[in-house]
Amino acid sequence: MNKSHFFGYLLGLIIFVIGIPALMWLVSGRTFPYIPDSVVLCVVAVLFAICGLALSIYSIVYMRIVGKGNPFDAYGHEVAPRTMNLMTNGPYRLCRNPMLVGIYLYDIGILVWLWSVLPIFVFLVEVVLLTIQVHSEEKRLEKDFGKDYLDYKKRVGRYFTI
């Protein structure tokens, strides 16, 4: 793995797995460490978090192996090498952004764990910013893969396919 790949993955880890959840915890006002009183909340939170991380990691590994790159553009600035192949199979057959769906599931696990209103606003800001980012990436993918991407976009939903 070269430096630019490593940097992209490290940046994703710092922002999405550590940073956003830490911000959610800070705005929640919960003490550290915080463990919910409800066993049900703990179980649901952990299940969402584990499933979300698993989906994101699977998507990243799949993109690295099959796509020969990384999707992470930072608002039009390449943070890691672009994918060389259009991803339409594996987790990408279900939605165009399985990594983000995984991150959202992980964050929902954090929200359930914290069971507080203010972290929801952090999550909503994240969703808005990442949706803007996705629009930027979609323009790049249209340019890189043309009609193939446009056909894929018609068949498969951004976050889920009905």
Side-chain angles (χ1 to χ4, degrees):
M1 181 183 317
N2 63 35
K3 288 180 185 179
S4 58
H5 275 103
F6 179 76
F7 177 72
Y9 298 129
L10 181 63
L11 190 59
L13 174 74
I14 291 168
I15 293 170
F16 299 112
V17 178
I18 298 169
I20 302 290
L23 183 58
M24 289 177 176
W25 166 70
L26 282 173
V27 302
S28 76
R30 301 285 191 204
T31 57
F32 186 81
Y34 173 73
I35 299 173
D37 293 331
S38 168
V39 172
V40 172
L41 281 182
C42 289
V43 169
V44 170
V46 168
L47 285 174
F48 267 99
I50 289 172
C51 289
L53 284 177
L55 177 58
S56 287
I57 291 167
Y58 172 51
S59 302
I60 290 167
V61 169
Y62 188 88
M63 180 166 282
R64 175 79 173 108
I65 292 168
V66 176
K68 308 287 186 220
N70 184 305
F72 197 50
D73 274 356
Y75 295 93
H77 300 290
E78 193 173 316
V79 177
R82 292 179 175 180
T83 55
M84 303 300 289
N85 303 311
L86 179 61
M87 307 281 73
T88 60
N89 293 313
Y92 297 89
R93 75 183 181 285
L94 304 173
C95 71
R96 296 192 313 262
N97 295 282
M99 278 181 244
L100 287 185
V101 171
I103 288 299
Y104 294 156
L105 291 173
Y106 172 71
D107 288 346
I108 289 168
I110 301 297
L111 290 172
V112 169
W113 185 272
L114 294 171
W115 205 252
S116 176
V117 173
L118 289 177
I120 294 169
F121 294 107
V122 173
F123 177 70
L124 293 175
V125 168
E126 176 188 32
V127 169
V128 167
L129 291 175
L130 289 177
T131 299
I132 293 167
Q133 170 59 28
V134 164
H135 285 289
S136 170
E137 288 176 355
E138 286 177 345
K139 287 178 183 170
R140 177 188 57 85
L141 290 167
E142 285 177 19
K143 191 183 330 178
D144 289 355
F145 300 109
K147 185 176 177 340
D148 288 341
Y149 181 72
L150 293 173
D151 291 343
Y152 171 64
K153 196 172 169 181
K154 288 177 189 172
R155 286 190 326 271
V156 178
R158 178 177 288 145
Y159 298 118
F160 56 93
T161 300
I162 299 174

